[in-house]
């Protein structure tokens, strides 16, 4: 039975070749226009059929030729397939049709032979149709020889030129032809046609399987039919989704849904395991990463009701895409797509291809944790440049805020390990105005001790005291307050340039002292001259200062103090 099926199906691309305009798949408007030309007897002498391979150009040309010559058109103006002319066409022995494949016959000689034939009027029927396939392949001399015939064709001659590469056709030819642009067959149309063929052959099929076939065929109906044959010859009278993905070396959608779920959960291990599973199934990394890019693209498409029609999958899987789309932010998708696409482009050149893909997965899995500047496990990694810039921008604001709030607020314990809930909290704080709270202190027990703001301040005072032989410098230093920021950088906002220069001058000394005092070799110092707004603001150090500041912001503070007899 296995063998019998193979015999039966190996030819379905030919067996189910459309023989009427109505049965041409996916080219409705072209079929209608050609039919109308026949009905109204408005035939041109030359047509140019353009479009990708396998979309029905030659088939439409043959149907056109047959229909023009049919002596007994049916009520829908389709060829009858019964008259002498139609039978001649259907049995490939009609003299009314001449086909030249310009890909292999592109010399002047070949064209001259064709031109010779054009002179002879047809014995049966009214028109002779000359189909020149891959017409862009004709040599320029052959083109020129042909041009003359195209300018003054005999009454009975109709030329149909077909090409996959319209841009290679000379303008002199284009201007003499009626041009038809054939579309790629949509997945939906291809699936419908495959379902029709399956029905005719009593094959039971899962629609998802046909979807896989249609996608793999990439818009070419001919390819879709031969892939269908291939699977039927393997799996017999029942074709399942699994048969299709196994046979066509298509990676199951399921893998992509699972891996994206893991990536969204920042689960590096799980994503690497799934990738390993895929490799174990015999798929190569490149296949996977291009598929992953397409998967992200498909989710992006799902994000907008206007573009959802670009998603060419069956309904069951469309639902899954919709679900996953709800879980992905657009910015995650764009970043993920960009990473997977970069991996795709650099894959071939890479010497460690597996690592290349794994690296991409790791990067994608970190997208949604990226807003946290310092993660506990990666404290030794340098901060990316854009973050440093951000920090610098923030720094003056931080200094200001610190003055306003530092001593009034209970100092938040500097955490050394960050839990997921805290990460979210930190993210929230970042967007709010309170930037001082975002300074999470990283810890790397092997290399350096963790440091708190209090320790920094204490060490700084100690250093200032160390300068007490130079009273002016001593008091100037004591008045400053370095603020601990990411990667153990002490941000120091100083009131004037001379002092700033002095600090830079003795920076090595300061660092040596601070590093020893804080037992942390990563401590660095970043002194900047404070902007005018910083220095103009009254400094808030004492409780009285705080009270003054708060009551200036909110008059009710004063009322509160009086009504309750409070003191600071
Ligand atoms: Zn007929």
């Amino acid at each position: 039975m296995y063998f019998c099926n193979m015999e039966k199906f190996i030819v379905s691309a030919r067996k189910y070749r459309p023989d009427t305009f109505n049965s041409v798949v996916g080219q409705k408007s072209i079929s209608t226009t050609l039919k109308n030309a026949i009905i109204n007897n408005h035939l041109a002498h030359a047509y140019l059929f353009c479009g990708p391979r396998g979309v029905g150009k030659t088939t439409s040309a043959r149907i056109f030729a047959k229909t023009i010559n049919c002596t007994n058109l049916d009520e829908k103006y389709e060829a009858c397939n019964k008259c002498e002319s139609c039978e001649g066409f259907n049995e490939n022995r009609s003299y009314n049709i001449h086909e030249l494949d310009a890909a292999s016959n592109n010399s002047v000689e070949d064209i001259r032979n064709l031109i010779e034939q054009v002179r002879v009027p047809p014995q049966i029927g009214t028109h002779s149709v000359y189909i020149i396939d891959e017409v862009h392949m004709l040599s320029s001399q052959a083109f020129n020889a042909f041009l003359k015939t195209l300018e003054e064709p005999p009454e009975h001659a109709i030329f149909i030129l077909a090409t996959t590469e319209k841009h290679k056709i000379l303008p002199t030819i284009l201007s003499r032809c009626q041009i038809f642009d054939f579309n790629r067959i949509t997945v939906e149309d291809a699936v419908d046609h495959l379902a029709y063929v399956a029905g005719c052959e009593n094959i039971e099929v899962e629609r998802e399987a046909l979807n896989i076939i249609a996608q793999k065929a990439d818009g070419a109906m001919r390819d879709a039919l031969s892939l269908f044959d291939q699977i039927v010859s393997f799996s017999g009278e029942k074709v399942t989704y699994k048969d299709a993905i196994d046979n066509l070396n298509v990676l199951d959608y399921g893998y992509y849904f699972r891996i994206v779920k893991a990536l969204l959960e920042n689960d590096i291990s799980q994503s690497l395991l799934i990738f390993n599973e895929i490799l174990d199934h015999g798929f190569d990394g490149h296949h996977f990463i291009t598929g992953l890019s397409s998967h992200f693209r498909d989710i992006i498409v799902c994000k907008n009701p206007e573009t959802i029609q670009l998603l060419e999958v069956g309904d069951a899987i469309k639902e899954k895409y919709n679900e996953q789309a709800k879980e992905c932010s657009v910015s995650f998708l764009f970043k993920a797509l960009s990473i997977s696409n970069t991996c795709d482009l650099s894959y071939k050149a890479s010497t460690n291809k597996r690592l290349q893909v794994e690296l991409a997965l790791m990067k994608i899995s970190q997208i949604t944790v990226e807003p946290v500047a310092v993660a506990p496990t990666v404290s030794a990694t340098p901060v990316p440049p854009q973050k440093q810039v951000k920090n610098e921008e923030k720094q003056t604001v931080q200094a200001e805020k610190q003055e306003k709030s530092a001593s009034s607020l209970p100092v938040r314990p500097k955490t050394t390990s960050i839990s997921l809930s805290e990460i979210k909290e930190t993210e929230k704080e970042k967007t709010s105005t309170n930037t001082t709270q975002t300074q999470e202190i990283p810890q790397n027990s092997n290399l350096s001790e963790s440091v708190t703001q209090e320790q920094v301040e204490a060490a700084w005072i100690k250093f200032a005291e160390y300068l007490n032989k130079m009273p002016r410098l001593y008091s100037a230093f004591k008045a400053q307050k370095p603020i601990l920021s990411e990667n153990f950088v002490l941000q120091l906002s100083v009131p004037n340039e001379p002092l700033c220069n002095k600090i830079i001058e003795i920076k090595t000394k300061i660092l040596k002292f601070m590093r020893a005092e804080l037992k942390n070799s990563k401590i660095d110092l970043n002194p900047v001259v404070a902007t005018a707004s910083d220095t103009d603001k009254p400094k808030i150090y004492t409780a009285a200062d705080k009270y003054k500041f708060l009551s200036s912001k909110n008059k009710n503070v004063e009322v509160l103090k009086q009504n309750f007899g409070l003191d600071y």
Side-chain angles (χ1 to χ4, degrees):
M1 187 176 120
Y2 171 83
F3 204 76
C4 142
N5 268 333
M6 205 159 81
E7 286 279 288
K8 199 160 112 193
F9 284 106
I10 212 79
V11 289
S12 82
R14 234 178 304 155
K15 187 172 172 186
Y16 290 94
R17 184 164 218 166
D19 58 358
T20 57
F21 281 122
N22 202 32
S23 54
V24 175
V25 178
Q27 309 294 354
K28 203 136 224 105
S29 69
I30 289 177
S31 293
T32 309
T33 312
L34 289 174
K35 220 157 113 176
N36 284 339
I38 298 170
I39 295 167
N40 302 322
N41 203 19
H42 277 165
L43 297 177
H45 278 291
Y47 295 89
L48 180 66
F49 288 1
C50 318
R53 53 180 291 280
V55 298
K57 298 186 297 294
T58 318
T59 303
S60 294
R62 287 186 189 140
I63 293 171
F64 187 56
K66 182 164 79 176
T67 314
I68 300 171
N69 285 299
C70 177
T71 54
N72 190 22
L73 290 179
D74 69 10
E75 68 276 12
K76 286 177 180 163
Y77 295 93
E78 296 275 11
C80 71
N81 283 322
K82 283 176 199 147
C83 70
E84 199 186 344
S85 166
C86 283
E87 282 188 343
F89 270 97
N90 290 347
E91 289 161 21
N92 284 327
R93 55 173 174 77
S94 172
Y95 289 107
N96 295 60
I97 188 162
H98 307 266
E99 290 186 46
L100 179 81
D101 181 9
S104 44
N105 312 290
N106 59 359
S107 68
V108 190
E109 211 45 47
D110 292 316
I111 279 292
R112 289 216 174 108
N113 287 339
L114 184 88
I115 295 167
E116 284 300 308
Q117 291 174 33
V118 172
R119 293 206 190 120
V120 186
Q123 303 299 305
I124 305 168
T126 53
H127 293 87
S128 284
V129 175
Y130 299 86
I131 300 173
I132 306 179
D133 228 344
E134 303 295 343
V135 67
H136 62 273
M137 302 282 274
L138 285 182
S139 68
S140 57
Q141 287 138 312
F143 251 133
N144 287 330
F146 179 57
L147 200 56
K148 206 157 172 264
T149 312
L150 201 58
E151 277 169 349
E152 293 163 4
E155 201 46 46
H156 62 266
I158 291 179
F159 294 98
I160 298 180
L161 316 179
T163 182
T164 50
E165 289 170 69
K166 187 178 169 184
H167 59 278
K168 288 188 181 165
I169 309 291
L170 295 176
T172 43
I173 302 269
L174 286 177
S175 65
R176 286 175 172 77
C177 297
Q178 259 190 36
I179 300 168
F180 289 86
D181 289 303
F182 283 66
N183 303 316
R184 281 167 31 131
I185 313 288
T186 63
V187 169
E188 207 182 337
D189 281 341
V191 168
D192 285 345
H193 189 62
L194 290 174
Y196 162 77
V197 171
C200 293
E201 297 292 334
N202 286 320
I203 311 271
E204 200 185 318
V205 286
E206 290 181 6
R207 213 168 157 87
E208 292 304 340
L210 300 183
N211 252 299
I212 294 288
I213 297 171
Q215 279 180 38
K216 184 87 175 176
D218 197 26
M221 197 62 235
R222 192 165 58 215
D223 293 356
L225 283 165
S226 42
L227 291 175
F228 179 68
D229 285 349
Q230 187 187 317
I231 293 167
V232 170
S233 71
F234 168 81
S235 54
E237 291 178 353
K238 190 165 189 269
V239 176
T240 63
Y241 171 71
K242 194 165 184 315
D243 291 334
I245 58 171
D246 287 351
N247 254 280
L248 301 178
N249 197 32
V250 171
L251 196 47
D252 189 351
Y253 294 114
Y255 285 115
Y256 293 118
F257 286 113
R258 275 170 60 208
I259 212 160
V260 170
K261 185 168 180 282
L263 294 172
L264 283 168
E265 288 166 357
N266 318 120
D267 193 340
I268 294 181
S269 334
Q270 187 59 22
S271 66
L272 295 185
L273 286 172
I274 296 171
F275 177 50
N276 187 54
E277 213 179 301
I278 290 165
L279 294 177
D280 283 349
H281 276 78
F283 293 98
D284 81 337
H286 200 207
H287 187 119
F288 163 72
I289 202 77
T290 51
L292 187 64
S293 298
S294 306
H295 187 80
F296 286 130
R297 175 264 184 202
D298 287 342
I299 301 177
I300 292 172
V301 156
C302 278
K303 279 277 178 192
N304 189 334
E306 280 172 27
T307 51
I308 205 158
Q309 52 170 324
L310 300 174
L311 188 67
E312 296 191 316
V313 296
D315 288 340
I317 288 176
K318 197 177 262 177
E319 194 43 50
K320 276 186 143 186
Y321 272 107
N322 267 326
E323 265 170 43
Q324 194 150 68
K326 278 178 207 150
E327 281 156 26
C328 303
S329 71
V330 174
S331 80
F332 167 80
L333 291 170
F334 284 158
K335 283 178 194 160
L337 184 57
S338 154
I339 294 169
S340 62
N341 196 42
T342 309
C343 177
D344 178 12
L345 295 176
S346 57
Y347 186 87
K348 282 232 165 77
S350 167
T351 49
N352 191 343
K353 294 178 160 53
R354 181 179 178 140
L355 183 69
Q356 191 77 7
V357 176
E358 289 177 335
L359 205 62
L361 290 175
M362 291 179 208
K363 280 189 200 158
I364 296 171
S365 75
Q366 294 306 298
I367 293 175
T368 50
V369 291
E370 222 168 37
V372 176
V374 185
T377 48
V378 293
S379 60
T381 326
V383 179
Q386 78 265 32
K387 273 190 207 135
Q388 275 169 351
V389 172
K390 244 191 252 164
N391 290 339
E392 276 160 26
E393 286 169 4
K394 245 195 290 177
Q395 171 222 322
T396 49
V397 182
Q398 276 175 350
E400 190 183 324
K401 300 269 178 183
Q402 187 83 358
E403 280 167 4
K404 283 180 192 164
S405 57
S407 43
S408 65
L409 287 162
V411 178
R412 191 168 181 261
K414 304 292 179 184
T415 44
T416 47
S417 69
I418 304 172
S419 71
L420 203 70
S421 61
E422 272 174 310
I423 288 171
K424 284 192 186 122
E425 198 185 338
T426 317
E427 274 168 11
K428 252 183 252 161
E429 282 169 1
K430 281 214 161 181
T431 53
S432 78
T433 50
N434 194 350
T435 51
T436 53
Q437 299 282 318
T438 64
Q439 297 166 19
E440 295 296 349
I441 308 305
Q443 185 201 42
N444 193 325
S445 52
N446 294 331
L447 292 164
S448 47
E449 297 273 315
S450 69
V451 179
T452 66
Q453 176 67 27
E454 291 93 325
Q455 288 167 340
V456 168
E457 284 172 29
W460 184 259
I461 297 295
K462 258 193 184 175
F463 182 75
E465 280 159 5
Y466 173 75
L467 293 172
N468 64 5
K469 283 174 204 156
M470 296 169 267
R472 270 179 59 199
L473 210 54
Y474 166 66
S475 53
F477 262 68
K478 218 171 172 180
Q480 306 312 314
K481 193 192 277 178
I483 292 172
L484 184 61
S485 70
E486 280 159 14
N487 283 5
F488 306 105
V489 176
L490 306 180
Q491 305 290 358
L492 190 64
S493 175
V494 292
N496 55 59
E497 210 168 331
L499 181 59
C500 188
N501 290 340
K502 184 70 203 170
I503 289 171
I504 290 167
E505 200 181 295
I506 59 167
K507 187 175 165 184
T508 333
K509 241 184 219 172
I510 302 175
L511 285 180
K512 202 174 163 193
F513 180 88
M514 296 295 279
R515 283 172 182 172
E517 191 65 28
L518 297 168
K519 299 191 184 63
N520 186 317
S521 60
K522 288 201 159 69
I523 295 286
D524 201 354
L525 183 67
N526 180 27
V528 287
V529 179
T531 56
S533 62
D534 287 333
T535 47
D536 288 348
K537 287 254 161 70
K539 302 264 190 274
I540 302 172
Y541 287 127
T542 64
D545 289 340
K546 258 178 271 167
Y547 170 71
K548 232 192 253 167
F549 174 73
L550 285 174
S551 57
S552 76
K553 287 264 170 190
N554 189 343
K555 291 287 165 216
N556 289 333
V557 174
E558 204 176 338
V559 179
L560 194 75
K561 179 178 171 273
Q562 279 166 2
N563 287 359
F564 289 92
L566 300 173
D567 205 354
Y568 36 78

